[in-house]
């Protein structure tokens, strides 16, 4: 069966990583303030040590593997912060870090579409199956994918993979759209 998988670049990754820096600086400030409290000296020192171990590990991996992002894309950083705040018995901030980690992990997923004869599937969370009869037009040109829906919704983005034959892909999707337009007219 003929199918195409196309991944769209996630242009918002830089913005999401900015949230990591904000969380890092805010947590370091919180841990530092609690470091001066006699009641929380050991716990805040432990949280800082855990955070520094994570940061040093990321720096080492970044140097060893050339140009990996400082923050991982899986959201583990927020879970490290969560452990630090749990040690300080601040459950609200720990819960916020946990939720941010899950949201971050979801937001950093690859955005990809699988085109086949039956339907178009958006494979990242939330997974969505799109019927061909709901699509007005699909075009891949100059590494830009455009999906135009009949309800005037549009998805457009630069693709990551360059190994896709644009002409072959466009012929495939146009034939599927025409085929489904014929089925739709027959049912009317």
């Amino acid at each position: 069966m003929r199918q195409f998988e196309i991944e769209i670049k996630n242009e918002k990754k830089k913005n999401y990583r900015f949230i990591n820096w904000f969380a890092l600086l805010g947590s370091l400030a919180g841990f530092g303030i609690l470091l001066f409290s006699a009641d929380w000296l050991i716990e805040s020192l432990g949280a800082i040590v855990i955070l520094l171990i994570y940061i040093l590990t990321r720096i080492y991996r970044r140097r060893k593997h050339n140009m990996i992002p400082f923050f991982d894309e899986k959201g583990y950083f927020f879970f490290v912060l969560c452990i630090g705040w749990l040690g300080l018995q601040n459950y609200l901030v720990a819960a916020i870090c946990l939720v941010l980690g899950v949201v971050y992990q979801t937001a950093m997923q690859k955005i990809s579409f699988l085109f086949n004869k039956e339907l178009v599937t958006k494979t990242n969370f939330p997974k969505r199956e799109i019927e061909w009869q709901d699509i007005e037009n699909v075009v891949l040109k100059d590494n830009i994918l455009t999906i135009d829906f009949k309800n005037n919704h549009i998805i457009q983005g630069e693709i990551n993979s360059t190994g896709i034959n644009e002409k072959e892909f466009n012929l495939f999707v146009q034939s599927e759209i025409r085929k489904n337009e014929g089925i739709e007219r027959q049912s009317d």
Side-chain angles (χ1 to χ4, degrees):
M1 175 193 316
R2 186 73 179 142
Q3 65 181 17
F4 295 88
E5 184 169 3
I6 297 181
E7 181 184 329
I8 295 178
K9 291 183 180 177
N10 190 344
E11 300 292 336
K12 297 180 181 177
K13 282 187 177 183
K14 287 183 182 179
N15 295 341
Y16 300 144
R17 287 193 181 109
F18 177 74
I19 294 169
N20 280 350
W21 285 107
F22 182 75
L24 171 66
L25 295 176
S27 290
L28 277 176
F31 297 153
I33 289 170
L34 291 173
L35 189 63
F36 295 108
S37 169
D39 296 336
W40 298 105
L41 177 67
I42 302 293
E43 292 86 351
S44 60
L45 189 59
I48 290 172
V49 167
I50 289 171
L51 193 55
L52 286 176
I53 288 171
Y54 174 81
I55 290 170
L56 292 173
T57 303
R58 291 302 295 178
I59 290 171
Y60 172 75
R61 291 196 62 207
R62 184 178 169 106
R63 288 190 178 169
K64 185 177 180 183
H65 297 290
N66 291 343
M67 297 307 294
I68 65 166
F70 183 76
F71 294 105
D72 61 273
E73 294 190 0
K74 300 290 186 192
Y76 298 136
F77 168 71
F78 287 103
F79 300 115
V80 170
L81 289 180
C82 180
I83 291 168
W85 287 109
L86 281 175
L88 289 164
Q89 297 177 3
N90 193 330
Y91 302 115
L92 177 63
V93 177
I96 290 170
C97 288
L98 186 65
V99 169
L100 282 174
V102 171
V103 169
Y104 181 80
Q105 188 175 28
T106 304
M108 296 297 277
Q109 289 180 350
K110 294 178 182 177
I111 303 169
S112 61
F113 292 89
L114 182 64
F115 296 85
N116 61 36
K117 290 191 177 286
E118 286 82 36
L119 49 92
V120 178
T121 306
K122 181 179 147 248
T123 59
N124 59 309
F125 182 81
K127 185 175 181 180
R128 180 177 169 205
E129 293 183 344
I130 306 163
E131 300 291 329
W132 280 107
Q133 62 256 19
D134 297 334
I135 297 175
E136 184 74 34
N137 195 16
V138 177
V139 175
L140 177 61
K141 182 172 170 106
D142 298 329
N143 286 334
I144 304 289
L145 175 69
T146 305
I147 304 172
D148 186 13
F149 295 90
K150 289 185 178 174
N151 64 1
N152 289 331
H153 181 73
I154 191 167
I155 296 174
Q156 187 173 46
E158 184 178 354
I159 65 170
N160 280 338
S161 53
T162 57
I164 295 175
N165 184 328
E166 288 183 6
K167 184 176 180 181
E168 186 179 334
F169 172 79
N170 287 329
L171 288 172
F172 170 77
V173 294
Q174 291 306 316
S175 71
E176 292 304 315
I177 290 171
R178 278 195 301 277
K179 189 184 331 175
N180 282 285
E181 281 179 351
I183 293 171
E184 190 177 305
R185 286 186 189 137
Q186 289 175 0
S187 64
D188 290 342

